[in-house]
Amino acid sequence: MTTTLAGERSGTRRITFLVALAVFAQESTWNFYESQVPPLLREHIASAALVGLLMGMDNLLGIFIQPWIGARSDRTRTSWGRRMPYLVIGMPIAAVLFTLIPHAAASLTLLIAVMFCYALVANSFKPIAEALVPDFIAPERRSRANAAVKIASSLTTIVAALVSLLLVDDHPNIAFAIPAIIMLISIGVLTVTVRDNRSPAYRSLPVESKDAHGVDRVAPRVRDTFIDIVKDRDRSRLLLLAAIFLFGSAWASSRSLITPYGMEALDMSRGNAGSLTLPSGVAFILAAYPAAMFAERFGRLRVMTVGMTMFAAAMVLGTAVQSSTGTVVALCFAAAGGACFLVNAVVVLWNLAPSAQVFAAYGGLYTVSWTAGGFLGPALVGGMVDITGWSLMLVDIAVVAALSIVVVTRISKLRRRAGLTLAQ
């Protein structure tokens, strides 16, 4: 029995590392895309609003593509599994398109076309790799696996910054090639080492695909999955998607509006204000794994609630101690609290799924809720700032975070009333 447990733990660590590698490769290109494509657009477009609109194109595509492709992956059956075919085809194509971006920069039309194609392809496999976590890993250990994935994703910010610092000015084409090469190496490793038709979730599908009378059931489409969530008398899943949207709004606002906040409320230069979030990135990385461990011990919803409360309190603290140092400290505490939510929210959603047939679809719905919050949240908080002023921006963010706390608290009450738990 000891040997069996050791083998299971080794397998869990192995697949966690491989999924983290895939996500690291994907996010390396996305982070570099977000930081270096706007200057290419600015060479042709003077309007910052139009540049922002074009940069938001990938999020808009993701809202439609990711749930659909996730559901399609859930329905795929091949000798290689249901996830790997999408990764093996999509990641190399995305890598090639990514390397073409600087070469297309001389023409605005061509640049936008390549951007669109890259965003289309990259969004088509973005939720697939993370779906390998619930495919291979038991519910009780998914939080720590997802923590490793989130840490890998956070590290890509540092990689993108280093590539930008060392290569962009003198060798822009090589700079774009490096994240693409990382992606190709990653998919090469996954191709050799992963067959997701061997995962526990995939092996359970033949049983799950028969109804009570032994008749084949068709795996649900994403529309059917969402309708099922909306019509369910137990509102836990729908409320969780609402909480993801609300906290995503607060999180995105604390990132995207912090530079103007530093300039307007703290009288900082643009460069110094833009660096306010850097230490909080380290705080997030340090907090991610403990957030998973605490969740496995005390319950995911409880840890998420504590983390969101910590995030909101940190925003209030940053307003009470309104200085650059106070803001940095507040953002570090907020990032640590945010890690409690980010590491565990998608795991709770996976664990609420009725079967392994919809893991990727649920991951896509998580991404849509989070992305929608990231898209609308800064506008909402920006509107509140127009009323309250920049000096109270962090309090405005805390108000949005408080709404997400109310929703998660409601979920906890529903689960307790039903005699159910999400701590498993």
Side-chain angles (χ1 to χ4, degrees), residues 368-413:
V368 166
S369 299
W370 185 262
T371 301
F375 182 68
L376 296 175
L380 172 64
V381 172
M384 296 167 72
V385 168
D386 289 339
I387 299 171
T388 63
W390 282 103
S391 61
L392 293 178
M393 186 196 79
L394 298 184
V395 173
D396 296 334
I397 294 173
V399 170
V400 179
L403 294 175
S404 66
I405 296 171
V406 172
V407 175
V408 172
T409 301
R410 176 62 179 165
I411 298 170
S412 298
K413 289 181 179 179

Side-chain angles (χ1 to χ4, degrees), residues 11 23 35 99 195 224 228 243 273 350 359:
V23 171
S35 66
T99 59
R195 294 291 185 275
D224 300 327
D228 175 61
W350 283 330
F359 280 155

Side-chain angles (χ1 to χ4, degrees), residues 336-359:
C340 296
F341 185 94
L342 283 159
V343 165
N344 292 296
V346 71
V347 177
V348 174
L349 196 58
W350 283 330
N351 291 356
L352 283 171
S355 76
Q357 286 185 308
V358 292
F359 280 155

Side-chain angles (χ1 to χ4, degrees), residues 43-68:
E43 294 177 3
H44 303 278
I45 302 171
S47 169
L50 185 54
V51 170
L53 183 65
L54 289 170
M55 289 303 297
M57 175 175 58
D58 60 290
N59 289 322
L60 185 62
L61 286 171
I63 288 175
F64 295 100
I65 294 172
Q66 292 190 32
W68 175 78

Side-chain angles (χ1 to χ4, degrees), residues 9 50 64 71 86 90 94 98 116 199 203 212 214 218 294 307 312 319 324 335 341 379 384 401 419:
R9 289 174 181 170
L50 185 54
F64 295 100
Y86 294 92
F98 190 78
F116 177 84
S199 71
R203 290 200 300 267
V218 178
F294 286 133
T319 304
S324 59
F341 185 94
M384 296 167 72

Side-chain angles (χ1 to χ4, degrees), residues 53-248:
L53 183 65
L54 289 170
M55 289 303 297
M57 175 175 58
D58 60 290
N59 289 322
L60 185 62
L61 286 171
I63 288 175
F64 295 100
I65 294 172
Q66 292 190 32
W68 175 78
I69 201 71
R72 187 173 182 83
S73 169
D74 287 329
R75 297 195 301 270
T76 299
R77 304 290 182 267
T78 73
S79 59
W80 211 336
R82 55 180 177 166
R83 315 296 186 202
M84 286 304 298
Y86 294 92
L87 296 174
V88 169
I89 295 171
M91 289 179 74
I93 295 174
V96 172
L97 289 168
F98 190 78
T99 59
L100 293 177
I101 291 175
H103 299 280
S107 165
L108 177 61
T109 302
L110 187 57
L111 175 60
I112 293 174
V114 175
M115 288 171 58
F116 177 84
C117 291
Y118 166 75
L120 186 68
V121 175
N123 269 301
S124 70
F125 61 82
K126 196 171 184 181
I128 303 298
E130 291 189 30
L132 290 169
V133 171
D135 280 352
F136 277 93
I137 297 174
E140 64 272 10
R141 298 185 68 84
R142 287 173 186 167
S143 282
R144 64 179 72 186
N146 195 46
V149 172
K150 294 298 182 185
I151 290 171
S153 178
S154 299
L155 288 173
T156 60
T157 304
I158 299 173
V159 172
L162 287 174
V163 173
S164 296
L165 178 65
L166 298 175
L167 291 173
V168 163
D169 290 338
D170 298 322
H171 307 286
N173 294 346
I174 296 176
F176 273 85
I178 287 177
I181 292 171
I182 293 174
M183 184 179 286
L184 290 174
I185 293 173
S186 168
I187 190 56
V189 172
L190 264 69
T191 300
V192 172
T193 57
V194 176
R195 294 291 185 275
D196 68 281
N197 63 335
R198 301 171 185 169
S199 71
Y202 192 89
R203 290 200 300 267
S204 72
L205 292 176
V207 176
E208 291 186 353
S209 61
K210 302 285 186 181
D211 64 15
H213 304 288
V215 179
D216 286 339
R217 294 184 309 193
V218 178
R221 298 169 299 176
V222 64
R223 181 178 62 184
D224 300 327
T225 299
F226 185 69
I227 291 175
D228 175 61
I229 291 173
V230 172
K231 290 185 175 180
D232 190 0
R233 294 181 64 184
D234 178 0
R235 296 296 186 185
S236 298
R237 292 176 292 173
L238 186 61
L239 287 172
L240 182 58
L241 291 175
I244 292 164
F245 168 79
L246 288 168
F247 192 75

